[in-house]
């Protein structure tokens, strides 16, 4: 007799996990002249989506059950609006990602420290900020999203994808990296 419900923790039973940043990755980040602007109502809920990336992530969620997708976003923990507005933004643009798959980390903290069970070798982070990617690997693997305002120093030498690719190409590129390829756009 075999227990068909057994989850032994072996690689073949574990889904690959994709963690996706929000600001600058899913949503267009608007630099501000004064820090106080980030604390005003509507700042986060009114951010425009980076449509190609949003559609690519939606397609991965809907068409690739072997990949478990999470949102992994920093938020201003001392803001009365940031967390609520980020969830409202996700409800509007990526409702396919339920609340159990949304992880919010206080700004300035290491995102890797907030992953349930810790970061695994089969975990991937799609983020626009090199510092987050460096802290992610190893054991995980980072994928830098080039959004037109980052990568000015060229310090990230691993996989990187341009946000202006079609949703189909972005999806294929993300999945290719998750399958061991290195993509340098």
């Amino acid at each position: 007799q075999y227990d068909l419900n057994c989850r032994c923790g072996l690689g073949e039973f574990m889904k690959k996990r994709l963690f996706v940043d929000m600001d600058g990755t899913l949503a267009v980040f608007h630099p501000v002249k004064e820090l106080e602007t980030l604390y005003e109502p509507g700042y986060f809920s009114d951010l425009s989506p980076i449509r190609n990336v949003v559609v690519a992530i939606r397609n991965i969620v809907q068409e690739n059950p072997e990949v478990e997708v999470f949102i992994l976003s920093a938020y201003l923990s001392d803001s009365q609006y940031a967390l609520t507005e980020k969830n409202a933004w996700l409800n509007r643009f990526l409702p396919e990602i339920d609340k159990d798959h949304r992880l919010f980390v206080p700004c300035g903290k290491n995102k890797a420290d907030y992953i349930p069970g810790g970061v695994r070798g089969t975990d991937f982070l799609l983020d626009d900020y090199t510092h987050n990617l460096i802290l992610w690997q190893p054991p995980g693997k980072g994928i830098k999203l080039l959004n037109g305002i980052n990568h000015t120093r060229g310090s990230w030498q691993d996989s990187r994808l341009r946000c202006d690719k079609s949703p189909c190409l972005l999806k294929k590129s993300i999945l290719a990296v998750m399958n061991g390829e290195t993509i340098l756009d």
Side-chain angles (χ1 to χ4, degrees), residues 59-79:
N59 289 343
I60 290 171
V61 170
Q62 293 174 342
E63 300 166 6
N64 297 87
E66 74 280 9
V67 177
E68 188 172 11
V69 179
F70 291 83
I71 297 302
L72 181 59
S73 182
Y75 76 102
L76 300 168
S77 57
D78 57 343
S79 165

Side-chain angles (χ1 to χ4, degrees), residues 37-85:
T37 304
L38 297 174
Y39 290 85
E40 293 175 0
Y43 177 82
F44 291 101
S45 61
D46 293 343
L47 291 176
S48 300
I50 301 175
R51 293 206 182 274
N52 293 355
V53 180
V54 169
V55 172
I57 297 304
R58 178 179 300 127
N59 289 343
I60 290 171
V61 170
Q62 293 174 342
E63 300 166 6
N64 297 87
E66 74 280 9
V67 177
E68 188 172 11
V69 179
F70 291 83
I71 297 302
L72 181 59
S73 182
Y75 76 102
L76 300 168
S77 57
D78 57 343
S79 165
Q80 62 180 325
Y81 306 109
L83 191 56
T84 301
E85 290 190 7

Side-chain angles (χ1 to χ4, degrees), residues 16 121 124 141 143 158-159 172-183:
K16 289 182 181 176
F124 297 81
K141 181 153 178 60
I143 308 168
D158 214 328
S159 290
K172 285 180 181 179
S173 295
I174 291 167
L175 294 174
V177 172
M178 293 182 78
N179 285 315
E181 293 182 38
T182 298
I183 299 191

Side-chain angles (χ1 to χ4, degrees), residues 1-19:
Q1 280 303 86
Y2 294 97
D3 179 5
L4 298 177
N5 296 316
C6 176
R7 298 202 50 97
C8 304
L10 300 175
E12 66 189 55
F13 294 106
M14 296 177 73
K15 288 184 176 186
K16 289 182 181 176
R17 299 188 298 183
L18 174 64
F19 295 86

Side-chain angles (χ1 to χ4, degrees), residues 123-141:
D123 288 345
F124 297 81
L125 173 62
L126 178 66
D127 203 313
D128 64 309
Y129 187 41
T130 298
H131 180 72
N132 291 336
L133 298 168
I134 289 169
L135 294 174
W136 188 260
Q137 58 183 44
K141 181 153 178 60

